[in-house]
Amino acid sequence: MRINFHEIFNVNTDGSIESKGRTVKIGGVQFGPGARFKNVSFGGIDLSKYIGRDLEVREENDVYIIIGIY
């Protein structure tokens, strides 16, 4: 399914990105709700470059698995 970045993540005033209410998996990396990160790549993907874009997401067992970026 196609979901906007801001439905899954918050962008904080310090530039960090925080996952909202679900566990998120990107490549082989999984992190829970409230995880904050900045200047980090997950599976070679720097999410800060895709703020505001739509993401292709698969949902499994209440986990968002990001499989593509539009």
Side-chain angles (χ1 to χ4, degrees):
M1 77 181 115
R2 189 172 179 160
I3 298 179
N4 186 269
F5 181 95
H6 294 290
E7 292 180 53
I8 301 174
F9 300 105
N10 287 321
V11 179
N12 300 306
T13 55
D14 66 355
S16 65
I17 297 170
E18 181 176 355
S19 58
K20 290 187 176 182
R22 289 195 186 194
T23 298
V24 177
K25 185 174 182 179
I26 305 171
V29 180
Q30 184 170 307
F31 45 90
R36 290 180 122 184
F37 46 88
K38 186 175 181 180
N39 302 321
V40 176
S41 291
F42 298 99
I45 298 170
D46 179 357
L47 285 176
S48 66
K49 294 181 180 181
Y50 304 102
I51 293 171
R53 305 265 299 268
D54 286 345
L55 307 172
E56 183 63 31
V57 176
R58 192 172 69 233
E59 225 178 322
E60 288 182 12
N61 301 321
D62 212 29
V63 174
Y64 279 146
I65 302 169
I66 298 175
I67 55 176
I69 301 169
Y70 293 98

